[in-house]
Amino acid sequence: MRRLAGLLVAPLLLLSAVACGDDKGSDTASSKNGMPAITAGTKFGEKPTLAKGEGDPPKELQTEVVSEGDGAKLKNGDAIQVNYLGQSWDSTKPFDNSFDRKQPFDLTLGAGMVIQGWDKGLAGQKVGSRVELVIPPELGYGAQGQGDIKPNATLVFVIDIVKATQIPASAKGSEVAQDDIDLPKVGTKTDGKAPTVTVPKSDPPAKLVSSYILESDGAVIKASDSVVVNYVALLWKGGKKFDSTYDQGKTQTFPLAQVTLKGLKDGLVDKKVGSRVLLVIPPDQAFGDKAQQSIPAKSTLVFAVDVLAKM
């Protein structure tokens, strides 16, 4: 069973698909510890300009706190938002940055959503900090490279840690009656394990269903939010599971503005953070007449989603 996150959310950037940058950094200059200097835009929140690395790059991960924030320390499992600029050690041209997009990048720390150098280098840093990372190839893209990043490239990132949220293990809230016999029944345990989902033998509904299973008193989700979720997803026909964050042991962060599966986005908007939601998504709001991996064409999809946080 393959993860379908790449089909649910349009690729935005970085660390999975790298965009080419147009800005040019400054010529070689070094900070006092041998890491490339930030020659302009030195303050938190400003787009930095990075000098080219000098000499041979370090063989191990290097971390420098450029300016320390006063927020909580990051730990694995936190949902975080960052702004960043990335550049190869031997280049003056950034290969990607979020500052120009004016949209922070969302990830769950330690969940393998990004290159290892990020997960290792950001753990323990404080919210509000600006951090510079020098990442050797084995903690970056290795021998294969990616996009404009050459094979065996040492990478340099300047990262502003904008926000962090601790993620609960499960949705919690008041149980809502599941009295429609023609809809799937979803388990209500809150032990952090995947809820059971039983799909009926009847025909699926023709319209989108978005129903609370557990209703929390959290904030209402807007279409512009990024949400951190756990989910299990099944085909209506046969009740076959095709995806699950629980099986991977990793939450998924969805910037709703980038969610391409219309029924998933529409079904989560206006729901409350902390809730468990049943979504039944008809084909015209799912993948339509196109098959996707293990999902046949014209499939109705069933999701049980724990909305754990919003960013």
Side-chain angles (χ1 to χ4, degrees):
M1 181 178 65
R2 297 179 59 190
R3 292 296 306 280
L4 290 177
L7 297 175
L8 304 179
V9 181
L12 183 60
L13 45 100
L14 179 94
L15 313 177
S16 56
V18 178
C20 178
D22 294 326
D23 300 320
K24 188 173 182 180
S26 60
D27 293 334
T28 300
S30 297
S31 63
K32 61 184 178 180
N33 62 358
M35 299 173 75
I38 301 172
T39 58
T42 58
K43 295 180 181 180
F44 183 95
E46 295 179 343
K47 179 185 174 182
T49 300
L50 265 176
K52 183 179 178 180
E54 189 175 55
D56 293 333
K59 297 184 182 300
E60 297 182 353
L61 176 67
Q62 302 292 314
T63 304
E64 179 184 15
V65 178
V66 179
S67 60
E68 187 173 57
D70 57 5
K73 288 186 177 182
L74 303 183
K75 61 182 184 301
N76 287 342
D78 286 350
I80 68 173
Q81 280 190 336
V82 301
N83 277 313
Y84 68 90
L85 179 140
Q87 188 168 297
S88 294
W89 174 271
D90 59 356
S91 176
T92 60
K93 183 179 179 181
F95 53 75
D96 195 16
N97 86 89
S98 66
F99 293 92
D100 289 346
R101 285 185 291 269
K102 302 186 186 305
Q103 174 64 51
F105 177 56
D106 298 296
L107 68 139
T108 301
L109 192 65
M113 296 172 62
V114 290
I115 56 176
Q116 291 184 59
W118 271 47
D119 276 340
K120 292 178 181 291
L122 293 178
Q125 305 297 339
K126 293 182 179 179
V127 175
S129 296
R130 167 166 284 192
V131 180
E132 183 175 352
L133 303 178
V134 178
I135 301 175
E138 60 270 20
L139 298 179
Y141 295 105
Q144 75 273 15
Q146 175 138 347
D148 288 346
I149 299 175
K150 298 176 182 178
N152 297 310
T154 294
L155 308 179
V156 184
F157 285 93
V158 177
I159 302 173
D160 288 354
I161 304 169
V162 177
K163 185 178 179 181
T165 303
Q166 294 185 4
I167 306 303
S170 172
K172 291 186 178 180
S174 302
E175 291 189 23
V176 176
Q178 301 182 63
D179 49 14
D180 189 336
I181 62 172
D182 292 323
L183 290 180
K185 298 297 183 289
V186 180
T188 57
K189 291 184 178 180
T190 57
D191 54 5
K193 298 179 181 179
T196 58
V197 182
T198 304
V199 181
K201 303 294 185 182
S202 55
D203 291 336
K207 295 183 179 180
L208 175 69
V209 173
S210 175
S211 302
Y212 283 117
I213 303 300
L214 299 173
E215 184 174 1
S216 175
D217 58 359
V220 173
I221 298 167
K222 303 187 295 295
S224 58
D225 289 333
S226 292
V227 293
V228 182
V229 300
N230 264 327
Y231 66 83
V232 59
L234 308 92
L235 302 174
W236 181 284
K237 186 176 181 179
K240 181 181 178 182
K241 180 173 63 175
F242 64 84
D243 196 12
S244 172
T245 58
Y246 298 94
D247 291 347
Q248 303 296 322
K250 302 173 183 178
T251 59
Q252 184 70 42
T253 300
F254 288 154
L256 290 178
Q258 274 84 50
V259 170
T260 56
L261 199 72
K262 186 177 186 301
L264 179 61
K265 176 179 179 178
D266 291 352
L268 293 179
V269 170
D270 293 331
K271 290 295 187 281
K272 298 174 185 176
V273 174
S275 300
R276 178 170 296 163
V277 180
L278 166 69
L279 301 178
V280 181
I281 305 176
D284 63 342
Q285 297 189 52
F287 297 114
D289 58 2
K290 295 181 180 180
Q292 299 285 356
Q293 296 181 16
S294 60
I295 302 173
K298 300 181 180 179
S299 290
T300 295
L301 309 182
V302 178
F303 283 78
V305 184
D306 277 15
V307 186
L308 301 175
K310 77 169 186 172
M311 304 297 290

